[in-house]
Amino acid sequence: MPYFPDEVVEHILGFVSSHRDRDAASLVCHVWYRIEGLTRRSVFISNCYAVRPERVHARFPCLRSLTVKGKPRFADFNLVPAGWGASAEPWVDACARACPGLEELRLKRMVVTDGCLNHLAHSFPNLRSLVLVSCEGFSTDGLATIATNCRFLKELDLQGSQVEFRGRHWLSCFPKPSTSLESLNFACLDGAVSANALESLVARSPNLKSLRLNRAVPTAVLAKILTSAPKLVDLGTGLVAQSNNAGALPSLYSAIQQCTSLNSLSGFWDSPRWITPIIHYICKNLTCLNLSYAPMFRTVDLIGTIHQCQNLQHLWVLDHIGDAGLKVVASSCLELQELRIFPANANVLASTGVTEEGLVAVSSGCRKLNSMLYSCSRMTNSALITVAKNCSRITSFRLHICLHGSVDAVTGQPLDEGFGAIVRSCKGLRRLSMSGLLTDSVFLYIGMYAERLETLSVAFAGDSDDGMIYVLNGCKNLRKLEIRNCPFGNTALLAGTHRYEAMRSLWMSSCDITLGGCRSLAAAMPGLNVEVISQADGGANDAKKVEKLYVYRTLAGPRDDAPGFVSAL
Amino acid sequence: AAAILPRYICGGSRATQAKQRPHLNLNHTLRYPSLTHFSFSSDLFCRRRTRGEFARPSMEIIDAELRLGPPGSGGDAAFGSQKKRSSSTVAAAATSEASGTDDHDAAPASKVQVVGWPPVGAYRKSTFQSASASAAKESKGAGEAGQRGGLYVKVSMDGAPYLRKVDLRTYGGYGELRAALDALFGCFSSCSGPSPDNGQFAMAYEDKDGDLMLAGDVPWDMFISSCKRLRIMRSSEAR
């Protein structure tokens, strides 16, 4: 067809929403690139330093929703020093100038200051949704400005962020007489909330569907909230316990029975064990249950509850559940799609928790499983092979054995065969995180079989550079590679020189790479930012071992806000 | 001695580095067992002869259960008994008995904690502490703690004119202790985040050896038994 009208292309592209599909469409020809750029509403920036905000706005002038991710994932585990960067300020500034009609802003692992929130609040009157996942640097004052100025705010989600507590007044700043709030999540907030403010907020938010409270919200307040918002779909409770108010618990019981649409439950914090029966009132409808913040619940309580949740699709729980509990999960929750088991005890030598038996039980019972995060005390190859056979639809598999370098608990072999079986049979595996004693063989398997793998996290594994080389040569779709405490050296690092531009980022910490190797990589690939994070003083000679290395592709050149301990090569 | 250790334990060139470390780098500790804890001969380790063969380590425990036979002999029998032992001693023994499922990482318990492992987000740290506190409470039993009497330790804060004394037995965990110290000194309330690492002050203590340690690493029980004195110091010094 010689002439294809732009309007038709525009119309067709309007139906294409996924980022990857749109990226692919934009590569067809210049016309499509331009049209796609003009019509894209939702932009996802996976690395805030990969591109300058101005350039994003130049290409996508009509964007309405912006998602930006900042620090590397290992920042969650204290591997990235404070002050590393990822400030949201440049993004908010650029957006305020170019796109004041912004409706959604989602930031992950970025530093957001109160000033930034203030700027946000005053620049985007149309803001509907603000999601700050694992962010830090702001306080309740910033939340107050957002609440006051963003009159149409529908969603305020502070999942996992660190918020400095400066007062309880922010909840009363939301618009009166009514708000358009549909989702409010302040579960991570430390500090008290004003009961009156919260109750009146819920009373004047008729569209509220999702509400996640923090620990400080007492039982009586929760009961009142549920009475005024019985249409809630997602609830995160506060601390539910016996209090001075004798009528609180009974009113909570009766209120929760009225919540017939409730299908997602989380919270509980340090609630005592005897509170678990309250969940039974809504068990039948529950699809998401997150008890991973409730360390007091024991196996027997969890079993009694989960046994009744036949429709459960997402389950996040601490390893108190034990193998016995997981067997109950396997027999009752046949619709389960996502399972996450978190370690309850920081003491890595505690041998309580879950083992390979629980994993095998769940995999044989819950055939629809596609995402697993399993923290256990021991594992065997045969268990992993069984899991691979049973659940071949797994797309995300993360196994953390608490004592690193653990071998197969029965045969004493490394866990290569088990993980090899997983990558061989789960053809759609996109995310893999491994632990235990692993040699180069497992990397060979990954390189050979894991074609769709996009994120790989490795710790305390491998014997030699070959391991990393297998992965870099084999996995064509690899985007993020995170390595810590592995014996990979400069040869391995430089073997992937041609690969890093196709990947989002590479993180290597406590490996065997030296400054010389990093410098060679930086010299060979100007399109990459090769950043070395080192806090120890020492010479800058080429033989110096590099503590932490972060390599990512970028169009923006070296960072201009790098702190002293980050050196760009 | 380091030269004769098989490669898969030392990882080749890193063996020499292990010897030359001036300070204890926790990130490396677990791969290289502490050489001062036992004397050994190379026969005790299963050597990995080629890359294809995998070791069946026969040396796991530091105490009298060492087998002096040639590598690979009786490995399975040793394993079976070790497995039974590790399942029976629940979380108690801080030494290698509990590491029966692990192979060459026979480091003592206090050195097993590594930065960022197990990989749990920082926002879950408060769940960790209350979990170990509750586990300690349950394992100790209700009446036992009250019978032993108070355990008063001095608490000093940098910049405060006088010290205080607190009874460690009245608290169930680090969270309660922190709250109590906050009530006494007002040091933690202006900080952000639940973990003691953030903010202006950090909670440190002197143990029975006289070393200044950062509070929060060991289970509460162990902390109470070894803490002799508490010190609240500025985070800038604590780094």
Side-chain angles (χ1 to χ4, degrees):
Chain A
M1 188 179 288
Y3 172 62
F4 204 70
D6 290 356
E7 296 81 19
V8 179
V9 177
E10 208 176 305
H11 184 72
I12 295 174
L13 285 180
F15 295 108
V16 178
S17 50
S18 130
H19 301 295
R20 298 192 194 182
D21 293 341
R22 278 194 160 251
D23 289 345
S26 66
L27 292 176
V28 168
C29 61
H30 281 296
V31 174
W32 282 45
Y33 179 89
R34 189 177 45 83
I35 295 177
E36 194 279 317
L38 290 174
T39 55
R40 199 187 293 216
R41 309 293 252 166
S42 157
V43 176
F44 171 65
I45 306 289
S46 55
N47 180 355
C48 62
Y49 290 119
V51 66
R52 289 207 190 281
E54 294 77 22
R55 189 166 173 160
V56 173
H57 289 288
R59 181 172 164 190
F60 305 114
C62 298
L63 73 88
R64 290 282 167 268
S65 158
L66 183 62
T67 308
V68 188
K69 290 191 179 179
K71 298 187 202 173
R73 194 176 74 96
F74 277 0
D76 288 346
F77 315 131
N78 296 332
L79 286 181
V80 173
W84 180 84
S87 164
E89 196 74 51
W91 289 90
V92 172
D93 278 340
C95 221
R97 275 196 297 272
C99 177
L102 191 72
E103 290 174 10
E104 264 183 40
L105 183 62
R106 289 166 205 270
L107 302 174
K108 183 165 184 178
R109 283 190 207 105
M110 296 190 78
V111 174
V112 184
T113 56
D114 278 346
C116 198
L117 284 178
N118 205 345
H119 196 174
L120 244 174
H122 289 110
S123 316
F124 305 123
N126 247 354
L127 195 66
R128 310 261 180 224
S129 167
L130 179 63
V131 177
L132 302 172
V133 180
S134 305
C135 293
E136 58 181 1
F138 59 103
S139 74
T140 48
D141 288 344
L143 295 178
T145 35
I146 295 275
T148 322
N149 297 90
C150 299
R151 318 296 292 172
F152 303 112
L153 199 64
K154 283 195 197 164
E155 180 182 8
L156 179 62
D157 188 340
L158 305 174
Q159 212 180 20
S161 298
Q162 286 189 327
V163 187
E164 187 188 336
F165 180 71
R166 287 223 195 118
R168 318 194 285 178
H169 59 281
W170 66 281
L171 271 178
S172 32
C173 296
F174 281 96
K176 304 182 166 79
S178 76
T179 73
S180 18
L181 269 183
E182 290 175 13
S183 165
L184 178 63
N185 176 355
F186 58 93
C188 58
L189 203 64
D190 253 348
V193 280
S194 154
N196 287 339
L198 183 57
E199 283 163 26
S200 86
L201 175 63
V202 175
R204 65 181 193 270
S205 307
N207 298 329
L208 199 62
K209 292 275 175 300
S210 162
L211 180 65
R212 295 199 181 188
L213 309 169
N214 70 349
R215 186 192 246 113
V217 175
T219 317
V221 176
L222 177 61
K224 282 213 197 90
I225 289 174
L226 287 180
T227 326
S228 58
K231 295 273 186 339
L232 267 186
V233 167
D234 170 20
L235 172 70
T237 71
L239 182 62
V240 182
Q242 197 67 274
S243 61
N244 298 333
N245 186 347
L249 272 178
S251 56
L252 180 61
Y253 282 128
S254 55
I256 211 165
Q257 282 176 302
Q258 309 302 317
C259 297
T260 46
S261 337
L262 205 56
N263 62 25
S264 170
L265 191 62
S266 57
F268 292 103
W269 313 104
D270 293 328
S271 298
R273 299 173 55 179
W274 44 264
I275 215 75
T276 31
I278 201 176
I279 307 177
H280 297 187
Y281 290 119
I282 38 170
C283 267
K284 291 283 170 288
N285 296 332
L286 269 187
T287 54
C288 283
L289 183 59
N290 180 351
L291 297 176
S292 60
Y293 289 103
M296 301 297 186
F297 296 171
R298 290 287 174 264
T299 314
V300 98
D301 317 305
L302 296 169
I303 286 181
T305 307
I306 292 175
H307 179 61
Q308 306 187 31
C309 301
Q310 312 277 344
N311 292 323
L312 211 55
Q313 291 173 12
H314 301 268
L315 176 63
W316 293 25
V317 79
L318 291 173
D319 63 5
H320 288 314
I321 191 174
D323 290 334
L326 286 178
K327 290 182 179 138
V328 170
V329 170
S331 58
S332 326
C333 308
L334 303 177
E335 303 290 317
L336 199 67
Q337 293 173 15
E338 180 189 7
L339 176 67
R340 294 197 192 189
I341 313 272
F342 295 96
N345 213 328
N347 181 6
V348 295
L349 289 181
S351 54
T352 53
V354 289
T355 68
E356 75 275 9
E357 284 177 31
L359 185 62
V360 169
V362 169
S363 71
S364 39
C366 309
R367 294 299 173 117
K368 297 193 184 172
L369 262 184
N370 56 34
S371 171
M372 291 266 264
L373 166 63
Y374 201 74
S375 308
C376 55
S377 50
R378 44 174 272 169
M379 189 46 58
T380 60
N381 281 318
S382 57
L384 287 173
I385 293 173
T386 317
V387 170
K389 258 202 300 260
N390 290 339
C391 293
S392 54
R393 287 206 233 169
I394 287 186
T395 54
S396 163
F397 188 72
R398 296 192 270 170
L399 183 72
H400 299 138
I401 308 176
C402 61
L403 199 52
H404 45 88
S406 301
V407 283
D408 184 324
V410 163
T411 63
Q413 306 276 4
L415 291 173
D416 298 336
E417 295 305 316
F419 282 107
I422 298 260
V423 292
R424 240 196 311 260
S425 84
C426 303
K427 303 264 184 274
L429 192 69
R430 291 207 295 265
R431 181 170 185 180
L432 180 64
S433 176
M434 311 190 289
S435 58
L437 182 67
L438 297 164
T439 68
D440 287 342
S441 309
V442 75
F443 295 108
L444 179 60
Y445 291 140
I446 292 176
M448 277 167 62
Y449 296 112
E451 288 164 355
R452 299 261 176 88
L453 194 65
E454 292 176 7
T455 307
L456 179 63
S457 293
V458 178
F460 304 98
D463 306 309
S464 72
D465 291 336
D466 289 346
M468 188 165 160
I469 294 176
Y470 292 144
V471 170
L472 288 170
N473 287 340
C475 302
K476 291 298 165 214
N477 283 316
L478 197 63
R479 290 157 163 252
K480 275 197 330 193
L481 185 54
E482 303 165 331
I483 301 175
R484 61 168 292 187
N485 296 80
C486 297
F488 301 140
N490 290 338
T491 324
L493 177 68
L494 294 171
T497 310
H498 59 285
R499 288 281 296 135
Y500 300 133
E501 267 201 334
M503 285 168 51
R504 188 192 296 181
S505 65
L506 166 72
W507 169 279
M508 287 180 78
S509 62
S510 307
C511 297
D512 279 345
I513 42 181
T514 68
L515 208 53
C518 301
R519 288 203 173 119
S520 325
L521 179 62
M525 302 291 292
L528 296 177
N529 269 3
V530 179
E531 293 178 2
V532 168
I533 299 173
S534 71
Q535 297 178 283
D537 285 326
N541 61 330
D542 278 357
K544 179 178 164 228
K545 280 276 161 57
V546 162
E547 236 177 83
K548 295 171 188 168
L549 172 72
Y550 186 47
V551 177
Y552 54 93
R553 65 178 175 188
T554 179
L555 297 171
R559 285 170 57 178
D560 45 13
D561 62 348
F565 52 81
V566 173
S567 30
L569 300 176
Chain B
I4 59 170
L5 278 178
R7 189 178 163 269
Y8 90 99
I9 288 188
C10 291
S13 63
R14 291 167 94 191
T16 46
Q17 228 213 344
K19 250 194 341 190
Q20 289 153 14
R21 271 201 314 268
H23 63 277
L24 188 66
N25 180 356
L26 283 177
N27 282 340
H28 289 291
T29 305
L30 211 52
R31 286 192 76 86
Y32 316 114
S34 174
L35 298 179
T36 57
H37 282 265
F38 45 83
S39 59
F40 56 88
S41 76
S42 51
D43 290 336
L44 290 175
F45 289 93
C46 268
R47 252 181 261 255
R48 202 163 53 82
R49 285 163 271 271
T50 66
R51 206 184 292 146
E53 263 183 62
F54 303 114
R56 280 183 297 119
S58 62
M59 202 289 304
E60 297 237 344
I61 340 185
I62 311 177
D63 60 14
E65 310 286 337
L66 278 175
R67 304 178 62 82
L68 286 174
S73 70
D76 295 315
F79 259 106
S81 55
Q82 281 162 18
K83 194 170 67 139
K84 279 199 279 266
R85 257 200 308 278
S86 66
S87 56
S88 59
T89 62
V90 176
T95 59
S96 36
E97 278 207 75
S99 68
T101 55
D102 185 28
D103 65 42
H104 52 273
D105 301 313
S110 57
K111 296 198 166 76
V112 171
Q113 311 282 357
V114 173
V115 173
W117 193 268
V120 168
Y123 46 85
R124 291 193 179 271
K125 262 201 197 146
S126 47
T127 323
F128 258 5
Q129 285 165 1
S130 30
S132 24
S134 69
K137 253 192 246 183
E138 286 187 19
S139 60
K140 267 191 343 192
E144 195 189 354
Q147 286 163 14
R148 279 193 271 168
L151 185 64
Y152 282 91
V153 294
K154 287 190 202 167
V155 185
S156 62
M157 178 161 104
D158 291 357
Y162 45 76
L163 281 61
R164 305 293 298 259
K165 269 207 158 175
V166 291
D167 180 3
L168 289 181
R169 292 215 199 281
T170 59
Y171 309 118
Y174 288 112
E176 291 178 38
L177 175 63
R178 213 173 122 80
L181 291 180
D182 191 28
L184 286 177
F185 290 108
C187 47
F188 299 129
S189 57
S190 56
C191 307
S192 60
S195 98
D197 292 331
N198 300 334
Q200 297 175 309
F201 290 98
M203 186 161 51
Y205 66 100
E206 272 179 39
D207 67 352
K208 8 184 213 276
D209 301 324
D211 298 321
L212 190 67
M213 325 267 289
L214 194 66
D217 292 330
V218 297
W220 179 250
D221 266 349
M222 211 187 283
F223 169 70
I224 297 191
S225 58
S226 60
C227 172
K228 292 289 162 245
R229 193 186 161 121
L230 275 170
R231 187 176 152 201
I232 302 175
M233 47 200 294
R234 298 190 189 282
S235 287
S236 46
E237 283 176 37
R239 291 222 176 276

